[in-house]
Amino acid sequence: LYMISQSLKPMNEMFIFPPKIWVKNPTLDNYRDFFNVLANTVVPFARYMYNTVLVVAIGSIGHIVLASLCAYPLAKYKFPGSKFINQLIVYSLMFNATVTMIPNFLTIANLGFLDAQAAIIIPGFASTLGLYLMKNFMEQIPDSLLEAAQIDGATGIRQFFSITVPLVAPTTFFLSVMGIIGSFKVFDQISVLTQGGPGNSTSVMAYYIYKTAFEEYKMGYANTLAWALFILIFIVTIVQWKFQD
């Protein structure tokens, strides 16, 4: 409600002190500006949307695939160092993403991905939350199912794709929802690693909203963009629920 109220405020109400939560003289100017941007500057805005969809799609899919492949041997096989790796995964969950920003920057720089789209996609692959959830869920799958499949001649790869992956579908769905929402909100990697460049090639909607609000000081228009982004995330989430059903 606050975001909607802010998007309806005229410019002269934005910087009133003390700030007012509710709009007094609502206007649709910010929404007119939004549709004018869509109509007259298709390439820049389309670039923001393209980058956002790219980060959401590749980041979410890559994270789920990597978490599943890494969690399976940790959950179903015992090998030297497995307990130590499991402890590292748990300990890593205690660190805020901000703490790992400098190591991420150094890693991306050494890989040569600064000012590239890979700089905002690859860090999402390495989130240990998905690995932790996948591992714990896979541990609940009875070993008898995998042993029966092995007796029938199924290889480890066949057991993974035919038995394990279908059984962890609820966790996969949860990670996909959280991954998509998180990817839509990605900001810190862009701010530190690319600043949206070169030529807005790594700017996404969240970073565009930030620049609009705090660099151009168009607070009402920025709230309109945030409201549009919320609707987009809501629609994507509903579609995911329908596919889950």
Side-chain angles (χ1 to χ4, degrees), residues 58-102:
I58 300 180
S60 300
I61 295 174
H63 173 53
I64 292 174
V65 171
L66 189 62
S68 302
L69 294 174
C70 294
Y72 183 68
L74 290 173
K76 292 303 178 183
Y77 294 93
K78 301 298 180 183
F79 54 88
S82 59
K83 291 185 178 180
F84 177 71
I85 295 175
N86 290 332
Q87 289 176 344
L88 285 180
I89 294 172
V90 174
Y91 293 152
S92 67
L93 296 175
M94 297 187 295
F95 293 95
N96 188 277
T98 307
V99 178
T100 62
M101 189 56 61
I102 294 178

Short mmCIF file of all heavy atoms in Angstrom, two decimals, residues 58-102:
data_model
loop_
_atom_site.label_atom_id
_atom_site.label_comp_id
_atom_site.label_asym_id
_atom_site.label_seq_id
_atom_site.Cartn_x
_atom_site.Cartn_y
_atom_site.Cartn_z
N ILE A 58 18.83 -18.26 -16.16
CA ILE A 58 20.09 -18.99 -16.05
C ILE A 58 20.50 -19.16 -14.60
O ILE A 58 20.95 -20.24 -14.18
CB ILE A 58 21.20 -18.28 -16.84
CG1 ILE A 58 20.82 -18.19 -18.32
CG2 ILE A 58 22.53 -19.01 -16.68
CD1 ILE A 58 21.86 -17.50 -19.17
N GLY A 59 20.32 -18.10 -13.79
CA GLY A 59 20.71 -18.19 -12.39
C GLY A 59 19.92 -19.23 -11.62
O GLY A 59 20.49 -20.04 -10.88
N SER A 60 18.61 -19.25 -11.80
CA SER A 60 17.76 -20.19 -11.07
C SER A 60 18.00 -21.63 -11.52
O SER A 60 18.17 -22.53 -10.70
CB SER A 60 16.29 -19.82 -11.24
OG SER A 60 16.03 -18.52 -10.76
N ILE A 61 18.02 -21.83 -12.84
CA ILE A 61 18.23 -23.18 -13.36
C ILE A 61 19.61 -23.70 -12.99
O ILE A 61 19.78 -24.85 -12.56
CB ILE A 61 18.02 -23.21 -14.89
CG1 ILE A 61 16.57 -22.88 -15.23
CG2 ILE A 61 18.42 -24.56 -15.46
CD1 ILE A 61 16.31 -22.75 -16.71
N GLY A 62 20.62 -22.86 -13.16
CA GLY A 62 21.97 -23.28 -12.83
C GLY A 62 22.14 -23.63 -11.37
O GLY A 62 22.81 -24.61 -11.01
N HIS A 63 21.50 -22.84 -10.49
CA HIS A 63 21.60 -23.10 -9.06
C HIS A 63 20.95 -24.43 -8.69
O HIS A 63 21.52 -25.22 -7.93
CB HIS A 63 20.95 -21.96 -8.29
CG HIS A 63 20.85 -22.20 -6.82
ND1 HIS A 63 21.93 -22.56 -6.04
CD2 HIS A 63 19.78 -22.16 -5.97
CE1 HIS A 63 21.55 -22.71 -4.78
NE2 HIS A 63 20.25 -22.48 -4.72
N ILE A 64 19.76 -24.68 -9.24
CA ILE A 64 19.05 -25.93 -8.91
C ILE A 64 19.80 -27.14 -9.44
O ILE A 64 19.95 -28.15 -8.74
CB ILE A 64 17.62 -25.87 -9.50
CG1 ILE A 64 16.80 -24.81 -8.76
CG2 ILE A 64 16.95 -27.23 -9.40
CD1 ILE A 64 15.43 -24.57 -9.36
N VAL A 65 20.29 -27.06 -10.68
CA VAL A 65 21.03 -28.19 -11.26
C VAL A 65 22.30 -28.47 -10.48
O VAL A 65 22.60 -29.63 -10.11
CB VAL A 65 21.35 -27.90 -12.74
CG1 VAL A 65 22.31 -28.96 -13.29
CG2 VAL A 65 20.08 -27.86 -13.56
N LEU A 66 23.06 -27.43 -10.17
CA LEU A 66 24.32 -27.62 -9.45
C LEU A 66 24.08 -28.12 -8.03
O LEU A 66 24.79 -29.01 -7.54
CB LEU A 66 25.10 -26.30 -9.42
CG LEU A 66 26.53 -26.36 -8.89
CD1 LEU A 66 27.37 -27.27 -9.78
CD2 LEU A 66 27.15 -24.97 -8.84
N ALA A 67 23.05 -27.57 -7.35
CA ALA A 67 22.74 -28.01 -5.99
C ALA A 67 22.31 -29.47 -5.98
O ALA A 67 22.71 -30.24 -5.09
CB ALA A 67 21.64 -27.13 -5.39
N SER A 68 21.52 -29.89 -6.97
CA SER A 68 21.06 -31.29 -7.02
C SER A 68 22.22 -32.25 -7.25
O SER A 68 22.34 -33.27 -6.57
CB SER A 68 20.02 -31.45 -8.13
OG SER A 68 18.91 -30.60 -7.92
N LEU A 69 23.08 -31.91 -8.21
CA LEU A 69 24.20 -32.80 -8.54
C LEU A 69 25.19 -32.91 -7.39
O LEU A 69 25.77 -33.98 -7.16
CB LEU A 69 24.91 -32.29 -9.81
CG LEU A 69 24.10 -32.35 -11.11
CD1 LEU A 69 24.87 -31.70 -12.24
CD2 LEU A 69 23.75 -33.79 -11.46
N CYS A 70 25.40 -31.82 -6.67
CA CYS A 70 26.34 -31.86 -5.55
C CYS A 70 25.73 -32.50 -4.31
O CYS A 70 26.43 -33.14 -3.52
CB CYS A 70 26.81 -30.44 -5.21
SG CYS A 70 27.80 -29.66 -6.49
N ALA A 71 24.42 -32.34 -4.12
CA ALA A 71 23.78 -32.87 -2.92
C ALA A 71 23.64 -34.38 -2.96
O ALA A 71 23.70 -35.05 -1.92
CB ALA A 71 22.40 -32.23 -2.75
N TYR A 72 23.46 -34.94 -4.15
CA TYR A 72 23.21 -36.38 -4.26
C TYR A 72 24.36 -37.23 -3.70
O TYR A 72 24.12 -38.10 -2.85
CB TYR A 72 22.93 -36.74 -5.71
CG TYR A 72 22.60 -38.20 -5.92
CD1 TYR A 72 21.42 -38.75 -5.44
CD2 TYR A 72 23.47 -39.04 -6.61
CE1 TYR A 72 21.11 -40.09 -5.63
CE2 TYR A 72 23.18 -40.38 -6.81
CZ TYR A 72 22.00 -40.90 -6.31
OH TYR A 72 21.69 -42.22 -6.50
N PRO A 73 25.61 -37.03 -4.11
CA PRO A 73 26.69 -37.84 -3.51
C PRO A 73 26.89 -37.57 -2.03
O PRO A 73 27.25 -38.48 -1.28
CB PRO A 73 27.93 -37.44 -4.34
CG PRO A 73 27.60 -36.13 -4.94
CD PRO A 73 26.13 -36.14 -5.17
N LEU A 74 26.65 -36.32 -1.59
CA LEU A 74 26.80 -36.02 -0.17
C LEU A 74 25.74 -36.71 0.66
O LEU A 74 25.98 -37.06 1.82
CB LEU A 74 26.74 -34.50 0.05
CG LEU A 74 27.93 -33.68 -0.46
CD1 LEU A 74 27.64 -32.19 -0.32
CD2 LEU A 74 29.20 -34.03 0.31
N ALA A 75 24.56 -36.90 0.08
CA ALA A 75 23.45 -37.50 0.83
C ALA A 75 23.47 -39.02 0.79
O ALA A 75 23.07 -39.68 1.75
CB ALA A 75 22.12 -36.98 0.29
N LYS A 76 23.95 -39.60 -0.31
CA LYS A 76 23.79 -41.05 -0.50
C LYS A 76 25.10 -41.83 -0.55
O LYS A 76 25.07 -43.06 -0.63
CB LYS A 76 23.01 -41.30 -1.80
CG LYS A 76 21.56 -40.86 -1.72
CD LYS A 76 20.85 -41.55 -0.56
CE LYS A 76 19.41 -41.10 -0.40
NZ LYS A 76 18.77 -41.74 0.78
N TYR A 77 26.23 -41.16 -0.50
CA TYR A 77 27.50 -41.86 -0.54
C TYR A 77 28.41 -41.38 0.59
O TYR A 77 28.37 -40.19 0.96
CB TYR A 77 28.20 -41.64 -1.89
CG TYR A 77 27.48 -42.25 -3.07
CD1 TYR A 77 26.57 -41.49 -3.81
CD2 TYR A 77 27.68 -43.57 -3.43
CE1 TYR A 77 25.90 -42.04 -4.89
CE2 TYR A 77 27.01 -44.13 -4.51
CZ TYR A 77 26.12 -43.36 -5.23
OH TYR A 77 25.45 -43.91 -6.29
N LYS A 78 29.19 -42.29 1.13
CA LYS A 78 30.17 -41.96 2.15
C LYS A 78 31.56 -42.03 1.53
O LYS A 78 31.96 -43.06 0.99
CB LYS A 78 30.06 -42.93 3.33
CG LYS A 78 28.69 -42.95 4.00
CD LYS A 78 28.33 -41.60 4.59
CE LYS A 78 26.95 -41.65 5.26
NZ LYS A 78 26.53 -40.32 5.77
N PHE A 79 32.28 -40.94 1.60
CA PHE A 79 33.62 -40.90 1.06
C PHE A 79 34.48 -40.03 1.97
O PHE A 79 33.95 -39.23 2.76
CB PHE A 79 33.60 -40.33 -0.37
CG PHE A 79 32.93 -39.00 -0.50
CD1 PHE A 79 33.62 -37.82 -0.32
CD2 PHE A 79 31.57 -38.93 -0.80
CE1 PHE A 79 33.01 -36.60 -0.45
CE2 PHE A 79 30.94 -37.71 -0.91
CZ PHE A 79 31.65 -36.54 -0.73
N PRO A 80 35.79 -40.15 1.90
CA PRO A 80 36.67 -39.37 2.79
C PRO A 80 36.44 -37.87 2.62
O PRO A 80 36.45 -37.35 1.50
CB PRO A 80 38.08 -39.78 2.32
CG PRO A 80 37.91 -41.11 1.70
CD PRO A 80 36.55 -41.10 1.06
N GLY A 81 36.20 -37.22 3.75
CA GLY A 81 35.98 -35.78 3.72
C GLY A 81 34.54 -35.36 3.59
O GLY A 81 34.25 -34.16 3.60
N SER A 82 33.61 -36.30 3.48
CA SER A 82 32.20 -35.93 3.29
C SER A 82 31.64 -35.21 4.51
O SER A 82 30.89 -34.25 4.38
CB SER A 82 31.36 -37.17 2.97
OG SER A 82 31.45 -38.13 4.03
N LYS A 83 32.00 -35.68 5.71
CA LYS A 83 31.51 -35.02 6.93
C LYS A 83 32.06 -33.59 7.03
O LYS A 83 31.35 -32.67 7.44
CB LYS A 83 31.90 -35.83 8.16
CG LYS A 83 31.17 -37.16 8.28
CD LYS A 83 31.53 -37.86 9.58
CE LYS A 83 30.76 -39.16 9.73
NZ LYS A 83 31.10 -39.86 10.99
N PHE A 84 33.32 -33.43 6.66
CA PHE A 84 33.93 -32.09 6.70
C PHE A 84 33.23 -31.15 5.73
O PHE A 84 32.96 -29.99 6.05
CB PHE A 84 35.42 -32.20 6.37
CG PHE A 84 36.12 -30.88 6.32
CD1 PHE A 84 36.36 -30.15 7.47
CD2 PHE A 84 36.54 -30.36 5.10
CE1 PHE A 84 37.01 -28.92 7.42
CE2 PHE A 84 37.20 -29.14 5.04
CZ PHE A 84 37.43 -28.41 6.20
N ILE A 85 32.92 -31.64 4.54
CA ILE A 85 32.21 -30.83 3.54
C ILE A 85 30.82 -30.45 4.05
O ILE A 85 30.38 -29.30 3.89
CB ILE A 85 32.12 -31.58 2.20
CG1 ILE A 85 33.51 -31.78 1.61
CG2 ILE A 85 31.22 -30.83 1.21
CD1 ILE A 85 33.52 -32.62 0.35
N ASN A 86 30.13 -31.40 4.68
CA ASN A 86 28.81 -31.11 5.23
C ASN A 86 28.88 -30.02 6.31
O ASN A 86 28.01 -29.15 6.38
CB ASN A 86 28.19 -32.38 5.81
CG ASN A 86 27.81 -33.38 4.73
OD1 ASN A 86 27.50 -33.00 3.61
ND2 ASN A 86 27.84 -34.66 5.07
N GLN A 87 29.92 -30.07 7.12
CA GLN A 87 30.08 -29.05 8.15
C GLN A 87 30.36 -27.69 7.53
O GLN A 87 29.84 -26.66 7.99
CB GLN A 87 31.21 -29.44 9.10
CG GLN A 87 30.88 -30.63 10.00
CD GLN A 87 32.05 -31.05 10.87
OE1 GLN A 87 33.19 -30.66 10.61
NE2 GLN A 87 31.78 -31.84 11.89
N LEU A 88 31.17 -27.66 6.47
CA LEU A 88 31.44 -26.40 5.79
C LEU A 88 30.17 -25.79 5.22
O LEU A 88 29.97 -24.57 5.26
CB LEU A 88 32.46 -26.62 4.67
CG LEU A 88 33.92 -26.83 5.07
CD1 LEU A 88 34.78 -27.02 3.82
CD2 LEU A 88 34.44 -25.65 5.88
N ILE A 89 29.29 -26.65 4.69
CA ILE A 89 28.03 -26.15 4.13
C ILE A 89 27.18 -25.50 5.22
O ILE A 89 26.62 -24.42 5.03
CB ILE A 89 27.26 -27.31 3.46
CG1 ILE A 89 28.03 -27.82 2.24
CG2 ILE A 89 25.86 -26.86 3.05
CD1 ILE A 89 27.45 -29.07 1.63
N VAL A 90 27.12 -26.16 6.39
CA VAL A 90 26.33 -25.60 7.50
C VAL A 90 26.95 -24.30 7.99
O VAL A 90 26.24 -23.30 8.22
CB VAL A 90 26.23 -26.62 8.65
CG1 VAL A 90 25.54 -26.00 9.86
CG2 VAL A 90 25.48 -27.87 8.19
N TYR A 91 28.27 -24.25 8.14
CA TYR A 91 28.93 -23.04 8.61
C TYR A 91 28.76 -21.88 7.63
O TYR A 91 28.64 -20.72 8.04
CB TYR A 91 30.42 -23.30 8.83
CG TYR A 91 30.72 -24.26 9.96
CD1 TYR A 91 31.87 -25.05 9.95
CD2 TYR A 91 29.85 -24.38 11.04
CE1 TYR A 91 32.14 -25.94 10.99
CE2 TYR A 91 30.11 -25.26 12.08
CZ TYR A 91 31.25 -26.04 12.05
OH TYR A 91 31.51 -26.91 13.08
N SER A 92 28.74 -22.20 6.33
CA SER A 92 28.62 -21.13 5.33
C SER A 92 27.27 -20.42 5.42
O SER A 92 27.15 -19.26 5.01
CB SER A 92 28.81 -21.70 3.93
OG SER A 92 27.73 -22.58 3.59
N LEU A 93 26.25 -21.12 5.94
CA LEU A 93 24.93 -20.50 6.06
C LEU A 93 24.90 -19.39 7.10
O LEU A 93 23.98 -18.57 7.11
CB LEU A 93 23.88 -21.57 6.41
CG LEU A 93 23.67 -22.67 5.37
CD1 LEU A 93 22.71 -23.72 5.91
CD2 LEU A 93 23.15 -22.10 4.07
N MET A 94 25.90 -19.36 7.99
CA MET A 94 25.94 -18.34 9.03
C MET A 94 26.46 -17.00 8.52
O MET A 94 26.34 -15.99 9.20
CB MET A 94 26.81 -18.82 10.20
CG MET A 94 26.28 -20.05 10.90
SD MET A 94 27.20 -20.47 12.39
CE MET A 94 28.81 -20.86 11.68
N PHE A 95 27.05 -16.99 7.33
CA PHE A 95 27.64 -15.76 6.79
C PHE A 95 26.63 -15.03 5.92
O PHE A 95 25.99 -15.63 5.05
CB PHE A 95 28.89 -16.06 5.97
CG PHE A 95 30.04 -16.58 6.80
CD1 PHE A 95 30.27 -17.94 6.93
CD2 PHE A 95 30.88 -15.71 7.46
CE1 PHE A 95 31.32 -18.42 7.68
CE2 PHE A 95 31.94 -16.17 8.22
CZ PHE A 95 32.16 -17.53 8.33
N ASN A 96 26.52 -13.74 6.13
CA ASN A 96 25.67 -12.90 5.28
C ASN A 96 26.32 -12.74 3.91
O ASN A 96 27.54 -12.79 3.77
CB ASN A 96 25.46 -11.54 5.94
CG ASN A 96 24.45 -10.70 5.20
OD1 ASN A 96 24.76 -10.04 4.24
ND2 ASN A 96 23.21 -10.73 5.68
N ALA A 97 25.48 -12.55 2.90
CA ALA A 97 26.01 -12.40 1.53
C ALA A 97 26.97 -11.22 1.42
O ALA A 97 27.90 -11.25 0.59
CB ALA A 97 24.86 -12.25 0.55
N THR A 98 26.76 -10.19 2.24
CA THR A 98 27.65 -9.03 2.19
C THR A 98 29.07 -9.39 2.58
O THR A 98 30.04 -8.84 2.05
CB THR A 98 27.12 -7.93 3.13
OG1 THR A 98 25.75 -7.66 2.81
CG2 THR A 98 27.93 -6.65 2.98
N VAL A 99 29.21 -10.35 3.50
CA VAL A 99 30.54 -10.75 3.97
C VAL A 99 31.34 -11.40 2.83
O VAL A 99 32.57 -11.26 2.76
CB VAL A 99 30.42 -11.72 5.17
CG1 VAL A 99 31.78 -12.19 5.64
CG2 VAL A 99 29.66 -11.05 6.30
N THR A 100 30.65 -12.10 1.95
CA THR A 100 31.33 -12.80 0.86
C THR A 100 31.49 -11.95 -0.39
O THR A 100 31.93 -12.46 -1.43
CB THR A 100 30.55 -14.08 0.50
OG1 THR A 100 29.23 -13.72 0.05
CG2 THR A 100 30.43 -15.00 1.72
N MET A 101 31.14 -10.67 -0.31
CA MET A 101 31.20 -9.83 -1.50
C MET A 101 32.63 -9.65 -2.01
O MET A 101 32.89 -9.70 -3.22
CB MET A 101 30.56 -8.47 -1.21
CG MET A 101 30.38 -7.61 -2.44
SD MET A 101 29.42 -8.42 -3.74
CE MET A 101 27.88 -8.68 -2.87
N ILE A 102 33.58 -9.43 -1.09
CA ILE A 102 34.98 -9.24 -1.52
C ILE A 102 35.55 -10.51 -2.13
O ILE A 102 36.16 -10.46 -3.21
CB ILE A 102 35.83 -8.74 -0.34
CG1 ILE A 102 35.38 -7.33 0.07
CG2 ILE A 102 37.31 -8.73 -0.71
CD1 ILE A 102 36.13 -6.76 1.25
#
